[in-house]
Amino acid sequence: MNFKKTSKIFLLILLISSNIISQTRKTIELSENWTFNKGENKNAEKINFNDKNWQKVTVPHDWAIYGPFDKEIDKQVIAITQNREKEATEKTGRTGSLPHTGTAWYRNKFNISETDINKKIILLFEGAMSEPQVFLNGKKIGEWAYGYSYFYFNISKDLISGENTLAVKLTNKEHASRWYPGAGLYRKVSLIIKEKESINQWGTFITTPFVSKSEAKINIKTKISNESGALTTTIFDANGNVVNQLKSDIHFNNEFDQNIKVKKPILWSPENPYLYKVVTKLYVKNQLKDEITTKFGIREIKYEPKKGFSLNGKITKFKGVCLHHDLGPLGTAVNTAALKRQLTILKDMGVNAIRSSHNMPSFEQLELCDEMGFLFLAESFDEWAKPKVKNGYNRFFDEYAEKDIVNLVRATRNHPSIVMWSSGNEVPDQWGAEGVKRAKWLQDIFHREDPTRPVTVGMDQVKAVMASGFGAIMDIPGLNYRVHLYDEAFKKFPQGFLLGSETASTVSSRGIYKFPVEKAAMKKYADFQSSSYDLEYCSWSNLPEDDFILQDDKPWVIGEFVWTGFDYLGEPTPYDESWPSRSSYFGINDLAGLPKDRYYLYRSRWNTKEETLHILPHWNWKGREGEKTPVFVYTNYNSAELFVNGKSMGIQKKDHSSPQNRYRLMWMNVKYEPGTIKVVAFDEKGNPVSEKEIHTAGKPAKIILSPDRKIIKADGKDLSFVTVSVIDKNGIECPTATNQLKFKVEGNASYRAACNGDATSLELFHLPTMKLFSGKLVVIVQASKKEGDIELTVTGKGLKTGKLSISSKK
């Protein structure tokens, strides 16, 4: 056979087929042409409703992120039972103190051609916050309840040829969330236009039931809308080469079940996130009716007693973080560039796993985790039938829980990154027999929809779940905190392993250090900040080392998911009784995405390929001359020597004398004097191998700009995150600077937002001015749809202006 000739013929067939795709199926993202208005807006669903004075927006859109921050928005008198509180006190900031409650409307007009009007047309919402009611041409076509769920409607019968009017009513109730949930159409809205005889929405399910070095068995189940037809399924490698192909005309009811061999498969893993793709074509009477492309990875997962989790035959610990869905100053409006920046930061830290907390992840986040190599714990609910908050998911549980799980699983189950599901987080249903039945019912739904992955629940009532049997029935017993109960739980649970489904909840403020330096729970200060010496935690939680020890010493502890990878809006513990305080302190990175000192503690343990050598605190302590100012070093080296202005403070070595000494190098008796501190790290033989120093800075003199990317895509969505800092006349960063800065963007882009990571700041993100916090902030520049040059100018009184040139390209 002439392979080159055959390849050319096949390529021609592919080109012809790709041309047919546009005739058989197309997806139209409804991102433009939206109008928005907050309020009841009577008759807003009508075709002829006058919305000329409404705000023009693009979707995804979060209308509440623009503020203002207001203490009265989420003020409530409550005892937070999850935090072991017994007496009610006044709380504020729990949902970010942003104006997210109330009713709002979105309207959009779109055209359907005469060619498409007789086809099957699906309207897909990837998230709508919340309780969406959907109207088409004045008629209500459906509703949903859960603001985090994906859902769709077949709108074929309700469309008209030409212009159609879509209206969406959203309602956020008070006391419906424990964190900032966002508001609006915060994820994509799309039209899917296809033939009536077609592949079902989320109708493809790809699994890899047998994997070896020499071959892999790929099972592909495909559900179609009709009961006749033939299916051609082709597997391509990452370079677009055909791997194998199978044609089938045998199906059961409306489902094809195909098994295809892949020889010498390249396995997906966090270290090598290799993706194949499947192209599925449906033919009826030899006519192509539908075609879809699905990316997937070949990998084998196992959970075994005493061994734990293995990926492709290799025991792997989850080095994970929990993430809420907000993107800091961008709010909850999903943005791929912002998500990718988060994951890039976490990858450098050594993170290999993400938990979506406490709700369904975005499609964009999952696609990035597939591509970048992150294991994923996909979570569903924060509440079941018993409430945590008055107007939470408990109102919808009986009617919607199964539907929400079905949509979650069917929409996302082809992602190789997902290695387990979670049916809940710290649900009050952990108590009593009814809760056990609910846990079993939910787990059975997950198993029915996806028999290949196990199910967990984040359990904080460990004594209760040991007594009731709740923990025993879970595929994976997940413990939230309660490190002192791990051994007892392991003995009582039958699974043979435990997961730290939520760990640490250590609190800190970037660049803020408090004295004396000591371990403390629920420590509070007059400035509403927490110390970045990383020794402060919450009444129910612990320090990072407590979990490190469990991971390192107990082979049956299969990993952890730290609360949290990034700060998020809302839950300002331990300051939820204080104002102003409107975002969390739990993050390893702050709300702006800037790393706190704790980032380097985790990096020193998790990123085993690169050097970590980090000194804290900063060395600007005017007024503390001669006072004890402990110096910590986070490093993957086991010993180091500290020098203050050239004088040795001695060598410290990691040891088991305390949890902190095991993972940190600490010089507790250093006395502050201005100048230079230097650390010299040693290898296992005692040879100096690396050094780092920090200096006392003078008065702020110049603004420095550092972008995460200098070239962005001219698509109207892409972002460049620019870190802004100030230096003195000698080029030394000023770690305590709080200058008020102003921002200006010129060219083919716009100023989008800024954030300084200060949980107490009430400055609005979208206004082009903000104070530095601990010497830094981040400015976000958003591309337009035109290519060209972009210039960011940052000014501040008494400072040399900072200028940055970036560009956008198609």
Side-chain angles (χ1 to χ4, degrees):
M1 180 182 288
N2 187 324
F3 182 76
K4 290 185 177 180
K5 185 176 181 180
T6 305
S7 298
K8 288 180 180 178
I9 292 170
F10 190 80
L11 180 60
L12 180 61
I13 293 170
L14 282 178
L15 290 171
I16 294 170
S17 297
S18 65
N19 188 48
I20 295 173
I21 293 173
S22 62
Q23 300 171 28
T24 58
R25 172 186 286 250
K26 57 186 174 184
T27 299
I28 301 171
E29 183 183 340
L30 297 179
S31 58
E32 309 288 339
N33 200 37
W34 287 95
T35 58
F36 161 79
N37 196 48
K38 189 176 178 183
E40 289 296 332
N41 294 295
K42 187 178 179 181
N43 298 321
E45 76 279 8
K46 303 296 184 184
I47 295 174
N48 59 356
F49 180 83
N50 185 356
D51 62 0
K52 289 183 179 179
N53 293 325
W54 283 20
Q55 183 183 354
K56 293 181 180 180
V57 299
T58 57
V59 168
H61 179 246
D62 177 358
W63 52 261
I65 192 63
Y66 300 98
F69 296 104
D70 187 344
K71 176 183 179 180
E72 301 300 317
I73 287 171
D74 52 15
K75 187 172 71 174
Q76 52 187 291
V77 178
I78 189 173
I80 304 174
T81 56
Q82 287 75 37
N83 297 359
R84 297 180 176 180
E85 294 179 359
K86 296 181 178 179
E87 294 184 8
T89 58
E90 182 181 289
K91 305 290 196 302
T92 189
R94 291 194 74 200
T95 55
S97 297
L98 286 162
H100 71 280
T101 60
T103 298
W105 283 83
Y106 290 83
R107 285 169 55 88
N108 191 296
K109 294 183 185 292
F110 60 89
N111 287 298
I112 297 294
S113 68
E114 289 187 14
T115 305
D116 291 335
I117 194 64
N118 293 319
K119 294 185 177 181
K120 179 181 289 186
I121 301 180
I122 301 294
L123 176 62
L124 170 64
F125 291 84
E126 297 179 19
M129 191 63 66
S130 57
E131 302 182 44
Q133 297 182 49
V134 183
F135 303 84
L136 185 62
N137 298 324
K139 175 187 174 183
K140 185 175 181 180
I141 58 168
E143 63 183 12
W144 210 260
Y146 196 29
Y148 295 105
S149 192
Y150 335 117
F151 61 96
Y152 64 90
F153 305 113
N154 184 341
I155 60 173
S156 308
K157 296 179 180 179
D158 300 298
L159 290 164
I160 57 176
S161 180
E163 187 177 78
N164 290 262
T165 301
L166 174 64
V168 184
K169 180 183 181 182
L170 299 170
T171 304
N172 276 2
K173 287 185 169 59
E174 291 183 338
H175 311 315
S177 180
R178 299 190 298 121
W179 56 86
Y180 176 67
L185 296 176
Y186 69 103
R187 291 179 182 167
K188 289 180 182 177
V189 181
S190 302
L191 292 173
I192 301 167
I193 303 172
K194 56 185 180 176
E195 298 293 333
K196 291 181 179 178
E197 296 166 308
S198 57
I199 298 165
N200 286 1
Q201 180 68 18
W202 306 326
T204 301
F205 185 20
I206 305 171
T207 60
T208 55
F210 175 79
V211 177
S212 72
K213 290 183 179 179
S214 59
E215 62 184 18
K217 174 184 176 181
I218 314 302
N219 178 257
I220 305 169
K221 293 180 173 64
T222 308
K223 289 189 176 182
I224 60 174
S225 62
N226 45 297
E227 295 194 4
S228 64
L231 208 67
T232 299
T233 301
T234 308
I235 297 177
F236 296 84
D237 66 16
N239 296 318
N241 301 310
V242 175
V243 174
N244 209 341
Q245 186 181 76
L246 182 65
K247 297 179 180 179
S248 305
D249 56 9
I250 298 174
H251 52 89
F252 303 90
N253 291 323
N254 68 331
E255 184 178 75
F256 290 87
D257 193 336
Q258 300 173 301
N259 290 301
I260 305 178
K261 180 186 288 189
V262 173
K263 294 181 179 179
K264 295 182 179 179
I266 300 173
L267 304 188
W268 184 96
S269 69
E271 297 77 25
N272 183 35
Y274 190 90
L275 295 174
Y276 292 84
K277 72 176 179 181
V278 164
V279 175
T280 307
K281 295 180 181 181
L282 173 66
Y283 294 88
V284 178
K285 296 179 181 179
N286 295 321
Q287 184 179 358
L288 181 64
K289 290 292 183 178
D290 199 6
E291 177 176 345
I292 61 170
T293 298
T294 309
K295 289 185 178 181
F296 75 102
I298 299 175
R299 49 100 175 116
E300 179 186 54
I301 61 171
K302 285 184 180 179
Y303 295 84
E304 300 172 279
K306 297 183 181 179
K307 292 183 180 179
F309 171 72
S310 62
L311 177 67
N312 303 326
K314 179 183 177 183
I315 299 297
T316 301
K317 294 265 191 179
F318 292 104
K319 299 182 291 186
V321 298
C322 303
L323 292 179
H324 265 312
H325 72 305
D326 81 63
L327 294 168
L330 300 175
T332 59
V334 70
N335 181 279
T336 301
L339 287 168
K340 188 170 185 178
R341 174 182 179 247
Q342 282 192 339
L343 293 175
T344 300
I345 291 167
L346 294 174
K347 196 78 172 179
D348 179 69
M349 194 176 88
V351 171
N352 70 358
I354 305 293
R355 175 192 180 209
S356 64
S357 312
H358 304 290
N359 43 264
M360 289 75 171
S362 68
F363 294 165
E364 291 88 346
Q365 187 180 45
L366 290 174
E367 288 164 5
L368 286 168
C369 286
D370 289 346
E371 294 167 6
M372 298 175 68
F374 288 89
L375 305 167
F376 206 94
L377 196 175
E379 198 153 81
S380 49
F381 310 121
D382 189 50
E383 280 187 2
W384 293 350
K386 292 185 177 181
K388 292 181 184 178
V389 290
K390 179 182 176 182
N391 290 316
Y393 188 73
N394 64 88
R395 295 178 294 140
F396 312 124
F397 180 81
D398 290 338
E399 181 182 355
Y400 275 92
E402 182 170 5
K403 292 188 285 188
D404 284 328
I405 289 174
V406 167
N407 283 7
L408 166 64
V409 176
R410 292 183 183 177
T412 66
R413 61 191 173 184
N414 294 321
H415 290 280
S417 55
I418 297 179
V419 294
M420 71 178 98
W421 307 105
S422 169
S423 60
N425 171 70
E426 298 183 0
V427 293
D429 313 66
Q430 290 168 93
W431 298 90
E434 285 302 313
V436 179
K437 293 176 183 177
R438 287 187 193 114
K440 180 68 164 56
W441 176 66
L442 293 170
Q443 185 166 264
D444 286 347
I445 297 170
F446 276 105
H447 288 168
R448 182 193 73 206
E449 296 298 319
D450 175 17
T452 72
R453 296 177 178 93
V455 181
T456 189
V457 167
M459 302 180 294
D460 63 329
Q461 302 299 326
V462 180
K463 287 285 189 182
V465 299
M466 285 193 287
S468 68
F470 185 112
I473 68 167
M474 301 309 304
D475 296 330
I476 298 176
L479 270 58
N480 285 11
Y481 315 106
R482 314 298 186 261
V483 291
H484 61 290
L485 294 175
Y486 268 52
D487 284 304
E488 184 180 354
F490 174 65
K491 290 176 183 177
K492 291 194 174 181
F493 291 155
Q495 295 90 340
F497 52 80
L498 298 176
L499 170 69
S501 45
E502 189 171 312
T503 64
S505 275
T506 308
V507 292
S508 63
S509 303
R510 178 182 55 79
I512 301 296
Y513 306 92
K514 302 295 186 179
F515 305 97
V517 177
E518 55 190 5
K519 288 173 61 176
M522 303 301 285
K523 184 76 172 180
K524 298 179 183 179
Y525 303 94
D527 60 359
F528 305 155
Q529 304 292 351
S530 294
S531 178
S532 202
Y533 273 107
D534 303 319
L535 290 172
E536 296 176 3
Y537 52 99
C538 300
S539 57
W540 68 89
S541 65
N542 52 270
L543 296 179
E545 290 88 347
D546 300 323
D547 293 297
F548 292 171
I549 290 168
L550 289 167
Q551 312 301 319
D552 291 345
D553 295 354
K554 312 283 187 182
W556 43 265
V557 178
I558 65 175
E560 67 171 314
F561 289 87
V562 181
W563 193 262
T564 53
F566 291 81
D567 279 336
Y568 55 94
L569 292 160
E571 287 194 315
T573 314
Y575 293 108
D576 52 12
E577 298 174 5
S578 308
W579 183 257
S581 189
R582 47 67 172 157
S583 58
S584 76
Y585 299 77
F586 299 117
I588 295 171
N589 300 274
D590 71 15
L591 197 70
L594 297 171
K596 303 178 185 179
D597 291 292
R598 204 163 2 122
Y599 174 93
Y600 300 97
L601 178 60
Y602 282 97
R603 190 180 192 274
S604 69
R605 182 174 175 271
W606 283 354
N607 186 339
T608 57
K609 293 182 179 180
E610 298 178 69
E611 176 185 279
T612 298
L613 187 59
H614 176 74
I615 308 171
L616 65 130
H618 61 71
W619 213 237
N620 272 54
W621 295 106
K622 187 177 181 180
R624 285 190 58 81
E625 289 80 4
E627 294 188 43
K628 283 186 180 180
T629 307
V631 174
F632 290 4
V633 170
Y634 298 156
T635 181
N636 48 5
Y637 297 110
N638 284 323
S639 63
E641 185 173 8
L642 179 70
F643 298 86
V644 177
N645 291 329
K647 182 181 178 181
S648 176
M649 298 290 109
I651 296 174
Q652 290 289 337
K653 296 181 179 180
K654 294 177 183 176
D655 60 43
H656 286 57
S657 61
S658 75
Q660 281 66 55
N661 286 92
R662 185 169 173 178
Y663 299 98
R664 315 184 197 205
L665 299 176
M666 302 183 293
W667 289 262
M668 299 301 294
N669 296 315
V670 176
K671 292 183 178 180
Y672 174 68
E673 57 182 68
T676 300
I677 58 175
K678 181 174 76 171
V679 64
V680 178
F682 304 109
D683 64 16
E684 294 298 326
K685 296 181 179 180
N687 300 313
V689 288
S690 187
E691 65 179 53
K692 188 172 184 178
E693 58 185 42
I694 58 177
H695 311 273
T696 303
K699 183 180 177 182
K702 182 181 179 181
I703 297 169
I704 299 296
L705 308 181
S706 177
D708 68 333
R709 291 183 301 148
K710 294 195 74 172
I711 300 174
I712 55 179
K713 191 173 181 180
D715 60 0
K717 300 176 182 179
D718 204 6
L719 306 171
S720 179
F721 291 79
V722 182
T723 300
V724 181
S725 55
V726 292
I727 57 175
D728 67 9
K729 64 181 181 179
N730 297 315
I732 300 170
E733 283 197 354
C734 302
T736 62
T738 58
N739 305 68
Q740 187 80 40
L741 304 181
K742 294 182 179 180
F743 324 118
K744 185 178 181 180
V745 176
E746 296 176 291
N748 293 312
S750 59
Y751 168 76
R752 178 63 182 84
C755 185
N756 60 15
D758 180 3
T760 71
S761 173
L762 301 183
E763 293 185 279
L764 300 181
F765 302 126
H766 67 285
L767 298 181
T769 181
M770 187 166 286
K771 279 186 177 181
L772 292 163
F773 177 66
S774 294
K776 292 183 182 292
L777 57 77
V778 172
V779 171
I780 305 171
V781 176
Q782 182 168 332
S784 70
K785 291 186 176 182
K786 293 182 179 180
E787 289 186 301
D789 296 329
I790 302 162
E791 185 168 83
L792 168 65
T793 303
V794 180
T795 58
K797 188 176 181 180
L799 299 173
K800 185 176 180 180
T801 297
K803 288 185 180 289
L804 173 69
S805 294
I806 59 178
S807 61
S808 61
K809 296 183 179 180
K810 291 290 187 181

